[in-house]
Amino acid sequence: MKTVVKFGGSSLASARQFKKVGDIIRSDKSRRYVIPSAPGKRNDKDEKVTDMLYQCYDAASQGRSYKKILEKIIARYQEIIDGLDLNLNMDHEFQRIEEDFLAKKGRDYAASRGEYLNGMVMANYLGYEFIDAAEVIFFDENGSFLAEATNTELAERLATADKAVIPGFYGSAPDGSIRTFSRGGSDVTGSIVARAIHADLYENWTDVSGFLVADPRIVPDPQVIETITYKELRELSYMGASVLHEDAIFPVREEGIPIHIRNTNKPEDKGTLIVENTCRKPRYTVTGIAGKKGFCSVFIEKAMMNGEVGFGRKVLEVFEKQGISFEHMPSGIDTMTVFVHQTEFIQHEQSVISGIHRAVQPDLIDLESDMALIAVVGRGMKGNRGTAARIFAALSHARINIKMIDQGSSETNIIVGVKNDDFERAIKAVYDIFITAEL
Ligand code: ASP
C-alpha cells in the first residue's frame, strides 16, 4: 500500500509540530511519500514563513533593508532544527538564497524556498530521500502547470525512490526558473504525486478534523462531514467552503484516488474522506451548506421571449464581451435573470445594460444588488422527496424571503438566493432543519 501524506503549514510550524508529524508518519509504513508546506503560524499573532519570504524578497530586490526579516526566517528554521536535535547546517542554503534575492530571481522563487528548506529538514528528520520539486514538477513559460510531462517524469523518478520527501507548492519552467502554484498550492503537489505513483490514498493533514457541514463562523460547532464525493466538494468549495486547494481535486480524481483530510493535532479523529463515488449512506440528507454574498441580479423581460430563438445567447454574449462570467441563470416564460458578482459587474453595469438593449430590445431590465447565494449540497437529496420543501419551510419560519431558486436535474444541489442581510440566518435555519433536527 502506498500513501502520499501532505502536511500543511500549521502542522509544521515548530519542532513540537514536526514531532507529531513524525509520529504520524512512523505509525503507518504505507506513508512513504511526504509533501511538506512551509512553516505556518505558531499562534494567531505569528507570521507564515511564505509571507515573510515575499516581504524579504520585495525589500531585497528593491534595494531596501531586508536583513532583519531574513534573520527572522533563519531563526524559524533553526528553532525547528535545534528542537529536533538534527545535525543539519543550512548556512550555505541561506547564503545562496540571499544572493539569489539580490539577483532578483523572482517572487515565485522566493516563496518556494519555504517549502524547499522545510523539505530538507523533513527529509533529514525522517531519514527519507529529498527530491527537489524543481526536478520533477513542470510549468510552461507562462506559468501554466504541465500535467502530463510532470506525471511521466515523477512516475519515473519515484519508481526508484522507496521513501521520499518532495516539497510542495513549486516546480520549474523550461528556462530553469522556479514557478509556484497559487497560495495553498502544496495541496496540489500532493495530489500530483499521488496520481503519479498510483497511490492508494492521499492523506492531507491540516489543523481541522475535516470538512464541516457549515461555516463555523456562522453555525457554532458544526458537524464534520465523514464522506463526501469530489462533486459535492467541488460544489461546496466553489460556494466558499475551503480546506483544500480547488486544483488539488483534478489529478487524483483522474485516478479515482481518495483524499483523506486529517487533523495533525487530533490524529484520533476520523476526518473527512473525499471519494469519487460511494454507497456509504450519508449521515444526513444534506452533506454540506455553503454560500457567498455579493451578487447582483439582472432581470430581463420581453413579451414572447420564449419564442425568440437565440435570445439567451445574445444576452449572454453581452456579458461575455465585457469579460463578466455569470453564476446562475434561472428563467421564466418571458423572463430571464442573470446572476453576476457585484464587484465585477458594477464597473461594466451601464455597458451591459445598453448592450442588452441593443442585442434583444427587452421590455424591461431590472437590477437588484446585495444578494447572497446559498448552496445546499448532498448526494442524499437525489430521489428523496421533500428536501426542497424542508429548505423553504426552514427559511419561511425564519422569516426569510427567497429571491431565487435553482436546482439542476442532478438533484444534488439546490441553490437559493436571499438578501445579503439574511445570509447568516438562512444558513443557520437550513442547518437546523437538516442537521440539528436529525441529530
Ligand atoms: N506555503 C504556501 C502558502 O502559504 C503554500 C502552501 O502552504 O500550500 O500558500
Side-chain angles (χ1 to χ4, degrees):
M1 179 142 162
K2 285 184 283 193
T3 303
V4 170
V5 282
K6 180 260 167 179
F7 290 90
S10 59
S11 302
L12 300 168
S14 63
R16 204 172 135 241
Q17 290 299 86
F18 257 79
K19 284 182 187 161
K20 290 185 195 168
V21 167
D23 290 344
I24 289 168
I25 294 173
R26 283 188 280 263
S27 70
D28 182 340
K29 284 203 172 61
S30 77
R31 294 178 176 141
R32 289 165 43 193
Y33 300 98
V34 182
I35 318 298
S37 277
K41 293 183 182 185
R42 291 161 294 187
N43 52 58
D44 287 350
K45 292 194 189 82
D46 204 11
E47 268 183 295
K48 282 177 143 198
V49 164
T50 310
D51 292 324
M52 292 157 81
L53 284 162
Y54 279 125
Q55 283 169 37
C56 183
Y57 179 78
D58 290 345
S61 60
Q62 292 159 15
R64 288 185 279 118
S65 69
Y66 62 89
K67 294 261 184 199
K68 241 191 179 154
I69 182 102
L70 183 61
E71 290 303 322
K72 267 197 189 164
I73 297 168
I74 298 173
R76 288 291 308 264
Y77 286 98
Q78 205 53 50
E79 184 233 72
I80 297 171
I81 293 168
D82 294 344
L84 297 174
D85 261 337
L86 301 180
N87 184 9
L88 178 65
N89 184 325
M90 300 221 287
D91 289 352
H92 58 288
E93 293 291 347
F94 280 110
Q95 253 163 37
R96 169 120 191 248
I97 289 172
E98 186 173 351
E99 283 161 24
D100 288 341
F101 278 19
L102 292 168
K104 304 190 182 163
K105 273 230 172 167
R107 288 191 103 224
D108 278 11
Y109 166 79
S112 76
R113 296 304 88 183
E115 274 66 12
Y116 171 80
L117 296 166
N118 229 18
M120 288 196 155
V121 176
M122 177 69 93
N124 187 290
Y125 175 53
L126 295 172
Y128 280 24
E129 184 181 342
F130 173 79
I131 297 178
D132 186 352
E135 292 167 15
V136 283
I137 296 206
F138 305 130
F139 292 81
D140 68 13
E141 46 289 321
N142 303 317
S144 300
F145 171 58
L146 295 172
E148 294 319 310
T150 298
N151 196 48
T152 313
E153 182 66 29
L154 251 182
E156 207 171 292
R157 180 74 179 78
L158 293 182
T160 59
D162 191 38
K163 290 173 165 186
V165 174
I166 306 121
F169 192 37
Y170 72 93
S172 62
D175 64 358
S177 64
I178 297 291
R179 297 298 172 100
T180 63
F181 294 105
S182 56
R183 295 299 303 264
S186 299
D187 286 343
V188 187
T189 310
S191 183
I192 291 165
V193 171
R195 175 186 172 208
I197 62 154
H198 303 296
D200 298 280
L201 181 65
Y202 169 26
E203 284 181 344
N204 190 295
W205 292 81
T206 174
D207 52 7
V208 290
S209 292
F211 270 96
L212 301 172
V213 174
D215 187 337
R217 289 166 299 185
I218 300 174
V219 174
D221 209 14
Q223 293 283 307
V224 173
I225 301 172
E226 278 176 18
T227 313
I228 186 169
T229 63
Y230 295 135
K231 211 164 144 245
E232 290 171 318
L233 178 67
R234 162 92 180 117
E235 281 167 356
L236 288 171
S237 353
Y238 184 76
M239 287 302 271
S242 73
V243 169
L244 195 69
H245 192 297
E246 279 225 312
D247 296 343
I249 297 175
F250 302 106
V252 282
R253 191 176 186 166
E254 275 178 43
E255 292 279 323
I257 301 165
I259 309 176
H260 200 175
I261 309 281
R262 305 283 302 265
N263 189 345
T264 302
N265 303 318
K266 288 188 182 168
E268 63 287 356
D269 282 359
K270 274 191 178 164
T272 299
L273 193 64
I274 308 165
V275 293
E276 160 101 57
N277 225 323
T278 177
C279 320
R280 288 183 211 207
K281 282 249 169 320
R283 211 157 135 207
Y284 309 100
T285 314
V286 154
T287 303
I289 307 153
K292 278 194 215 164
K293 288 184 183 180
F295 292 94
C296 186
S297 68
V298 183
F299 172 84
I300 303 148
E301 189 174 37
K302 185 177 185 189
M304 309 308 282
M305 170 200 290
N306 67 333
E308 213 175 295
V309 176
F311 190 97
R313 179 185 51 77
K314 288 181 207 155
V315 169
L316 292 181
E317 241 171 33
V318 174
F319 287 89
E320 187 184 345
K321 281 204 185 111
Q322 298 295 328
I324 301 171
S325 63
F326 76 96
E327 290 297 309
H328 292 284
M329 198 187 54
S331 61
I333 306 292
D334 283 335
T335 68
M336 67 185 271
T337 311
V338 184
F339 276 80
V340 286
H341 285 276
Q342 198 157 319
T343 44
E344 220 178 272
F345 176 69
I346 247 161
Q347 312 157 31
H348 304 281
E349 182 189 75
Q350 296 308 317
S351 325
V352 171
I353 294 175
S354 57
I356 296 175
H357 274 290
R358 240 171 282 136
V360 294
Q361 297 85 40
D363 298 334
L364 172 75
I365 300 179
D366 201 13
L367 302 181
E368 182 153 1
S369 56
D370 302 323
M371 309 264 280
L373 295 175
I374 297 170
V376 184
V377 174
R379 60 191 186 281
M381 285 162 31
K382 197 172 176 139
N384 206 343
R385 86 199 126 82
T387 311
R390 284 166 83 188
I391 296 174
F392 302 148
L395 294 177
S396 139
H397 280 136
R399 299 188 168 279
I400 294 166
N401 180 34
I402 300 174
K403 312 279 307 178
M404 191 270 298
I405 306 159
D406 195 354
Q407 184 201 285
S409 52
S410 74
E411 283 189 84
T412 55
N413 191 354
I414 296 178
I415 296 185
V416 291
V418 298
K419 290 298 282 180
N420 272 349
D421 289 346
D422 291 331
F423 178 69
E424 283 84 5
R425 283 192 313 115
I427 293 205
K428 264 197 212 124
V430 176
Y431 183 89
D432 281 343
I433 200 137
F434 285 104
I435 314 296
T436 318
E438 286 183 23
L439 272 177

